[in-house]
Amino acid sequence: AQSVSQHNHHVILSEAASLELGCNYSYGGTVNLFWYVQYPGQHLQLLLKYFSGDPLVKGIKGFEAEFIKSKFSFNLRKPSVQWSDTAEYFCAVSSGCYQKVTFGTGTKLQVIP
Amino acid sequence: DAGVIQSPRHEVTEMGQEVTLRCKPISGHNSLFWYRQTMMRGLELLIYFNNNVPIDDSGMPEDRFSAKMPNASFSTLKIQPSEPRDSAVYFCASSQGTSYNSPLHFGNGTRLTVT
């Protein structure tokens, strides 16, 4: 069975600080990897995704993530956060012929102006 | 594209009552997922369908929960009888299933409160 773990439950940063959120998954086969964001009071939205090719993936709003297969990791990064990045971030993995999607427990990011 | 549509947005009910949550996936999407989100347990996958067929319902908490997808454009999640611990936000999401270039598209969720 696939699983996803996110190491940080709550992160507080000042504006302009750099961000890195950890994500590790466990699954022996081919996976597709995602980061979703949930702004306060809203539903989840896709930030970026990895299916194949270049392991460094760029998403919306200046976010990027790097897939390191040997470490089963897919960490999310942003060089300089803004107050508007305050949200909860979820790492997710899908696999199998029906692309079952499993989410991590989420990381709440609070950016202080 | 209207997106995934869920109804109602909010539901407040008393313990023991039946609750039915509804979802209309994006047209052309052949996979549909029901998730439950709580502060304690985060985002949990309850059940998912592919081409209207339930593929994995191992996340359904107990027999009080049931889900159906009678056609490609409609799904329901029913709780009978409801209990206070069922209070959560329930999200429906759809995707193109076996397409590798298809992330999940979420609805706005139903906030359920059972008193």
Side-chain angles (χ1 to χ4, degrees):
Chain A
Q2 63 195 28
S3 66
V4 181
S5 61
Q6 293 181 241
H7 319 300
N8 316 101
H9 296 292
H10 199 177
V11 173
I12 302 174
L13 293 173
S14 298
E15 273 195 323
S18 65
L19 170 73
E20 180 159 2
L21 302 182
C23 171
N24 286 89
Y25 67 93
S26 66
Y27 183 72
T30 302
V31 294
N32 304 305
L33 298 157
F34 307 84
W35 276 96
Y36 286 83
V37 60
Q38 185 177 29
Y39 296 104
Q42 297 187 25
H43 61 278
L44 277 78
Q45 304 168 48
L46 182 70
L47 257 186
L48 49 79
K49 61 190 179 190
Y50 172 81
F51 293 101
S52 64
D54 189 344
L56 186 61
V57 179
K58 294 194 184 300
I60 61 172
K61 304 186 180 185
F63 286 91
E64 64 178 33
E66 185 175 12
F67 171 51
I68 303 179
K69 189 175 181 180
S70 60
K71 295 184 178 179
F72 296 89
S73 71
F74 190 56
N75 292 355
L76 181 71
R77 299 195 291 251
K78 185 170 183 178
S80 175
V81 295
Q82 301 172 311
W83 177 78
S84 57
D85 293 325
T86 295
E88 189 161 13
Y89 293 81
F90 292 88
C91 182
V93 59
S94 72
S95 64
C97 60
Y98 296 111
Q99 294 298 296
K100 174 182 177 180
V101 182
T102 302
F103 284 84
T105 50
T107 298
K108 282 189 168 65
L109 171 65
Q110 184 179 356
V111 180
I112 301 169
Chain B
D1 183 354
V4 176
I5 299 171
Q6 289 187 248
S7 64
R9 287 297 306 274
H10 302 274
E11 177 80 39
V12 181
T13 190
E14 291 184 347
M15 184 173 69
Q17 297 298 307
E18 176 180 299
V19 174
T20 299
L21 312 181
R22 297 173 175 78
C23 175
K24 177 177 165 52
I26 292 173
S27 177
H29 283 189
N30 60 358
S31 286
L32 183 140
F33 301 75
W34 282 102
Y35 287 89
R36 176 172 69 176
Q37 186 177 36
T38 61
M39 290 288 289
M40 294 298 294
R41 291 190 295 271
L43 204 59
E44 302 172 277
L45 176 62
L46 300 177
I47 184 170
Y48 72 102
F49 296 83
N50 183 262
N51 291 325
N52 314 337
V53 175
I55 301 301
D56 184 349
D57 65 355
S58 59
M60 296 284 261
E62 40 196 281
D63 292 346
R64 297 184 297 106
F65 285 68
S66 63
K68 293 182 181 178
M69 192 163 186
N71 57 61
S73 59
F74 184 65
S75 176
T76 59
L77 178 68
K78 188 176 291 186
I79 308 172
Q80 166 64 20
S82 58
E83 296 182 5
R85 60 193 167 120
D86 301 331
S87 297
V89 180
Y90 291 80
F91 286 104
C92 175
S94 70
S95 76
Q96 287 184 314
T98 53
S99 167
Y100 276 77
N101 196 24
S102 179
L104 292 178
H105 296 258
F106 282 82
N108 286 325
T110 295
R111 183 174 294 278
L112 173 65
T113 303
V114 183
T115 59

